[in-house]
Structure formats: C-alpha cells, structure tokens
Amino acid sequence: DIQMTQSPSSLSASVGDRVTITCRASQVLRNDLGWYQQKPGKAPKRLIYATSSLQSGVPSRFSGSGSGTEFTLTISSLQPEDFATYYCLQHNSYPFTFGPGTKVDIK
Amino acid sequence: EVQLVESGGGLVKPGGSLRLSCVASGFTFSSYTMNWVRQAPGKGLEWVSAITSSSSYMYYADSVKGRFTISRDNAKNSLYLQMNSLRADDTAVFYCARDDYSNFPFDYWGQGTLVTVSS
C-alpha cells in the first residue's frame, strides 16, 4: 500500500499569508494526487485533482504542484474562509490513501 | 444539481451488522464509480471501498476486507455498504463520494451518516 505523509500537521497563519502544505508518497504517483478541504462538521470538498487541476468553482488562490513522490498545495493569500483542515489523497492504486491532514488555524 | 444522501447509520453492538445506503440524484448514476469514505471522531479521512459503474470491480481497504461488502443498484440510483462483524474502531461518519467522469476521485460527497459501535 502507498503511504502518505503531510507536513506540517498544523500551522497558524494570518489573513493574507502565503501557505504551503507538502505531501509525500512512499511510491511514485505520476499525477494521481488530489487535495481536499474540510471544515468542522462538514463533508470534505475537492480543491485540486490530477496534481494541479483546479476544481470548478474553487478560487484561483489555491494551486497544486509536484511530481513523483512530492506534492504541494499553495494558498497564495489566505482568506478567513480558508481556515480548515487539508488532506492529500493518492489514487494511483487501490487502496486509495489520504494523508493525515494539515490543520490551518488563525494566528 | 448533484446530490448524494446517505442513511442507515446508528448505534450497533460489537459483532453486529448494519447496512448503509446512499441515494444519488442529479446525474447518470450508472456511469460513475462510487466510493465509501469514513472518518472516526476527531480523526482523518479513510477510504473504505469503491465499486465501478457496472459493478464489475469492487475494492476494499485492508481494515474492512472480508467484513464489509459494497454494492449498487443502478435502477434505484443507490449505493450500499453492508457492514458485518462491526468493531468499536469502525465507529465513524461514513460518506459516499463519487469519482468524476475522468475517474478522478471524490468530486461530490454526501453529508455523511454516523455509525457508532458500542455495547
């Protein structure tokens, strides 16, 4: 099975900050990596698919990049509604695996 | 509008069984791979199972293999998860989620249904 790690596990940031979250896989993923945002008590929401493709309706301040085993989610200018937990997901092979999550809260 | 509505959660004793349902609307259900994803209280997301559009292939997480069975009824636009031999560590909110038309995972999610396994 492919193992996923994320860093940091949590971060505190201010509105307007640039935020970068890193996800690492135990095997090469091609571009089979997505990013999801979850707010408390809500279902997750897809932000990015295929490493760097922006989900329709998601603000352009979100972007994804990477290749091989290392991938990043960047929020170019953090907004109040972006405080949430972010998960990466590999779908290169079953069983699909999520990263452990990165909680972004207000500094 | 795409909608996924789960039901069937509840309190069950260890060793018991439960069947979850997810009713889909707003899209051609029979054309899409569907999944179950769960989240234990205060924990991260865990993919549980997937089933292809015509039920040709089913996939399971190691943690549920042999105990859970995924199925679908395309005529009823419904996805199911039969859960047997439930354990305390199966306690979670269970979400159904759709793969998109290009088979990238989880473009739409249901609101979730809570399963609690406790004596």
Side-chain angles (χ1 to χ4, degrees):
Chain A
D1 298 0
I2 298 175
Q3 310 303 315
M4 304 298 292
T5 60
Q6 272 182 248
S7 60
S9 57
S10 65
L11 66 91
S12 294
S14 300
V15 172
D17 284 353
R18 182 181 182 88
V19 168
T20 299
I21 299 168
T22 298
C23 184
R24 290 184 177 85
S26 60
Q27 299 177 31
V28 171
L29 298 183
R30 300 180 302 183
N31 74 336
D32 300 327
L33 191 286
W35 291 95
Y36 298 80
Q37 176 195 65
Q38 188 180 33
K39 297 180 180 179
K42 299 294 187 183
K45 170 186 172 183
R46 191 170 76 176
L47 301 175
I48 301 285
Y49 62 96
T51 298
S52 59
S53 295
L54 191 67
Q55 175 70 25
S56 175
V58 172
S60 59
R61 62 180 179 272
F62 291 93
S63 64
S65 63
S67 64
T69 62
E70 186 163 325
F71 301 84
T72 59
L73 173 71
T74 299
I75 310 172
S76 60
S77 177
L78 198 66
Q79 297 303 301
E81 60 268 31
D82 301 337
F83 293 96
T85 301
Y86 294 85
Y87 296 91
C88 61
L89 168 78
Q90 74 79 18
H91 57 95
N92 178 263
S93 61
Y94 289 106
F96 292 174
T97 42
F98 287 93
T102 296
K103 186 175 181 181
V104 177
D105 61 21
I106 302 171
K107 183 183 283 185
Chain B
E1 178 194 6
V2 171
Q3 284 199 312
L4 300 169
V5 180
E6 302 95 335
S7 62
L11 176 63
V12 60
K13 289 181 167 53
S17 299
L18 211 55
R19 188 196 197 206
L20 304 184
S21 300
C22 171
V23 176
S25 61
F27 66 102
T28 305
F29 179 73
S30 59
S31 297
Y32 291 82
T33 293
M34 297 296 296
N35 302 264
W36 290 99
V37 176
R38 69 182 179 182
Q39 186 169 37
K43 303 297 185 183
L45 299 169
E46 180 187 17
W47 172 83
V48 172
S49 185
I51 185 168
T52 55
S53 57
S54 57
S55 304
S56 297
Y57 298 96
M58 285 82 82
Y59 304 93
Y60 298 94
D62 291 344
S63 58
V64 307
K65 203 171 293 183
R67 300 188 299 123
F68 289 12
T69 302
I70 192 171
S71 63
R72 64 191 295 162
D73 185 337
N74 287 342
K76 294 183 178 180
N77 290 343
S78 293
L79 174 72
Y80 306 103
L81 187 68
Q82 176 67 43
M83 304 187 294
N84 300 330
S85 304
L86 282 162
R87 311 184 303 223
D89 63 358
D90 293 316
T91 295
V93 174
F94 283 74
Y95 297 100
C96 69
R98 187 189 83 163
D99 285 2
D100 70 21
Y101 202 72
S102 300
N103 285 321
F104 292 109
F106 317 158
D107 63 339
Y108 285 94
W109 298 66
Q111 85 289 350
T113 187
L114 176 62
V115 173
T116 303
V117 184
S118 174
S119 55

